[in-house]
Each structure stands twice: as structure tokens, then as C-alpha cells.
Amino acid sequence: KVISSNTTHTLADHIPWFPRKKSDLDTFADKVLEMGEELDSDHPGAKDPVYRARRAEITRVAKTHRHGLPLPTIEYTPEEIATWGVIFRNLVALYPTHACKEHQYVFPLLIQNCGYREDNIPQLETVSRFLKDCTGFTLRPVMGLLTSRDFLNGLAFRVFHSTQYIRHHSKPLYTPEPDVCHELLGHAPLFCDPDFADFSQVKNLLCYSGSRISGASDSDLEKLATIYWFTVEFGLCRQGGEIKAYGAGLLSSFGELEYSLTDKPEKLPFDPYKTSVQSYIVTEYQPIYFVAESFKDAKQKVREFAKTLNRPFSIRYNPYTESIEVLDNQ
Ligand SMILES: Cc1ccnc(-n2c(S)nc3sc(C)c(C)c3c2=O)c1
Ligand SMILES: [Fe+3]
């Protein structure tokens, strides 16, 4: 039975706040871990005051966004577009042999409908409207790194929090953090695929179990975030007897995309029980990748795995009211 937020049910009283409606995501606007201006000392743009000012400006624009408004347009500079162009050219050359079929299917449509060109950085609004038509996914601008919990909760609403700044021009093929190239070349194409969209949302609806009081919720959340990393960010899949990449971190990184399909890294079958406790590093190429049979299969495996997490309640997404409903498991 549905426990709506206005019942007096005791369980509902004990559940700490989490977004119930898509518009609740506006509250994340001020919650990013760092505002994007304070760059780490090893960041390629750390000593470039012009770049830091640019990051601050894009962060300020992103802060003005509210649910229901069109996404802000960024006027990219010729230098930013040139940086994008280097990445675009390098990756487009690899996609035919390294990208999964879903990415290869949708990429020409993004070129045709969303201005994906080496001399143009597409606007989030254009891509978000295209995504909405494909799978109901939409984009939101974010100012820096959200916590895993907030970021994954967004995915439960089929909302992907996307950066709008671009990496520093001095290192076009490296970025220590997500940037607009990572979002548009890595994540957006896969969110156009219905099976991948289902897989992403299912996994993150389970994250709500991670917003409960008991300590277990944090470790549950950590397990689900790790599954996120080894699928949405670094996932490989078997297609037609070959292994291809579907993870955004691979599809947006020229070097790692090549490396991931060589025989250097270890490749294990995707299994939530093992994947969820595998350690990973973000600053270097992964020594281990997980290979999914298909997005449908991965979704089924995650559903089964989720039953083993201690969840006194489960949740359902109501697409008509764009809200989360809490169901009592009793
Ligand atoms: C779960 C979660 C929450 C917020 N952001 C992320 N997230 C995403 S989506 N892509 C990238 S690419 C990169 C180099 C980093 C560091 C990074 C990242 O941190 C993941
Ligand atoms: Fe990412």
C-alpha cells in the first residue's frame, strides 16, 4: 500500500527527507560539494585565472536554473570550441570499433538533431529535449560534484545532472572531473536508449533505500554507487561475440576507450554481488572492468541483488505526477 507523505504512518515519520517530486531537485542547487571555482591544485586550470573566472561564471548561471525553466544557454568561446573539437574528432574515429551498438545507433541522430559537430558544442537544452522524446530523461545543469546520494536520486526521476563547463585547453584528452564533453559524448547518447534508461532508473530507485536512517543505508548506497561506476561510467558489454564499451567514462576518454578493449585490463562478468564491492580508482585507467550481457540482463540482476539489501519499504516512480511513492513492504 502506498504511504503518501501526508499519512501519519510511523515509518513515513522516520524516513529522512529525500526528493519526492522532480521539482524537489531544485533544493540540490546550493548543495554541491564544491562550487567549481576552488579547483584542486593539480587541476590543469588551477593556475589560470581566466579559466577560473570562466568556471565561476558558468557556475553562477547554472545556479539560476529551476525545474520547468529552459536550461541556460552558454556562449562558448572559440578556444572552448577548439578544445571540444580535438576531443570530438579523436572519439568519433574510435566509436565504430569501440562503442556499443546503442551509442553507434543514436550518435548520427545527435549530429542531425542536436548540433553535434566538431565546430559546435551542443546546448544542454537542445540535448535535453531530444532525450525527453527518446526516454523521458532530462538534463539539469549542476555546479560541481553532487554527493552520490543526490546525484543518484536525480536518476530515479530520469534527471541527469550535467556540467556545462569544459576542461582546460592545456589537456584536451584529460579531465579529473566530469565536464560537458563527458556528459554529451559519454552519458547523453546512452540515456537515449530505452533499455539503458530503464536500467539506470531501476538501479537508482533502489538508492532510495539508501536514504533511510539505519547505518546499513550508507553501505547500501555505497554498493549501488559502486555498481553505478562499473556500469554507467566504466561498463563494457558483449555484443555479437565482441566486447564493446557503454560506460560514459570510456566513451568520453580517448585513451581509456582504447585501453579498455585491449587485453591489459581484467574483464569480469557483471555480477552485482561482486561488482558492488569491487574497489575502483578515478584518477587512472581501471585495472578491472565488468562485462554485461545486455542492459535488460543487468537490470534483472540488479533487481534480484536489491532484494538482499535491507529495505523496510520499496518505492515506485509515478510518471504521471513525476513523484516517488513509498510502498510499505510489510
Ligand atoms: C555517483 C556520482 C555522483 C556525482 N558525479 C559522478 N561522476 C560522474 S557521473 N562522472 C564522472 S567523470 C569523472 C572523472 C568523475 C570524477 C565523475 C563523477 O564523479 C558520479
Ligand atoms: Fe559521468
Side-chain angles (χ1 to χ4, degrees), residues 70-294:
L71 302 181
T73 300
I74 301 292
E75 186 104 13
Y76 290 104
T77 67
E79 182 179 74
E80 290 169 331
I81 295 171
T83 303
W84 159 274
V86 171
I87 297 156
F88 187 90
R89 269 195 309 279
N90 276 289
L91 285 168
V92 164
L94 273 185
Y95 287 153
T97 50
H98 289 64
C100 64
K101 65 180 188 305
E102 293 79 3
H103 188 282
Q104 297 204 47
Y105 169 75
V106 80
F107 207 76
L109 300 176
L110 292 169
I111 291 172
Q112 199 181 345
N113 299 291
C114 299
Y116 275 51
R117 296 193 314 273
E118 71 173 89
D119 64 346
N120 175 61
I121 301 178
Q123 294 296 332
L124 293 194
E125 175 65 15
T126 318
V127 180
S128 187
R129 298 167 84 93
F130 181 80
L131 277 173
K132 184 116 179 99
D133 288 348
C134 295
T135 57
F137 255 92
T138 54
L139 303 178
R140 271 191 71 111
V142 72
M143 287 73 66
L145 275 192
L146 280 175
T147 63
S148 283
R149 177 169 295 179
D150 291 343
F151 179 83
L152 296 172
N153 280 347
L155 287 176
F157 294 88
R158 295 201 174 205
V159 171
F160 180 73
H161 286 87
S162 178
T163 55
Q164 277 185 296
Y165 57 78
I166 191 164
R167 63 196 68 179
H168 194 256
H169 56 82
S170 64
K171 290 203 175 157
L173 296 183
Y174 169 73
T175 170
E177 61 192 348
D179 73 343
V180 72
C181 309
H182 171 73
E183 322 288 22
L184 294 183
L185 298 170
H187 284 295
L190 266 296
F191 284 128
C192 298
D193 178 77
D195 289 339
F196 182 83
D198 279 355
F199 165 67
S200 285
Q201 184 178 31
V202 156
K203 177 168 44 55
N204 295 297
L205 279 172
L206 305 173
C207 279
Y208 276 83
S209 65
S211 44
R212 264 188 317 100
I213 343 154
S214 76
S217 68
D218 292 339
S219 73
D220 284 357
L221 188 82
E222 180 157 341
K223 286 190 186 117
L224 291 161
T226 303
I227 289 174
Y228 173 90
W229 276 99
F230 280 109
T231 53
V232 179
E233 284 303 327
F234 295 113
L236 297 179
C237 57
R238 195 176 306 286
Q239 290 182 342
E242 291 188 296
I243 292 183
K244 301 290 179 186
Y246 74 87
L250 303 178
L251 291 166
S252 64
S253 158
F254 176 76
E256 191 160 5
L257 182 55
E258 265 191 328
Y259 159 82
S260 69
L261 298 192
T262 66
D263 51 15
K264 289 195 195 83
E266 193 177 355
K267 299 181 185 74
L268 301 174
F270 173 64
D271 168 5
Y273 295 89
K274 292 200 179 57
T275 305
S276 61
V277 293
Q278 178 65 46
S279 62
Y280 59 91
I281 34 169
V282 186
T283 51
E284 289 149 42
Y285 295 172
Q286 301 304 323
I288 294 181
Y289 295 104
F290 288 89
V291 184
E293 287 313 310
S294 72

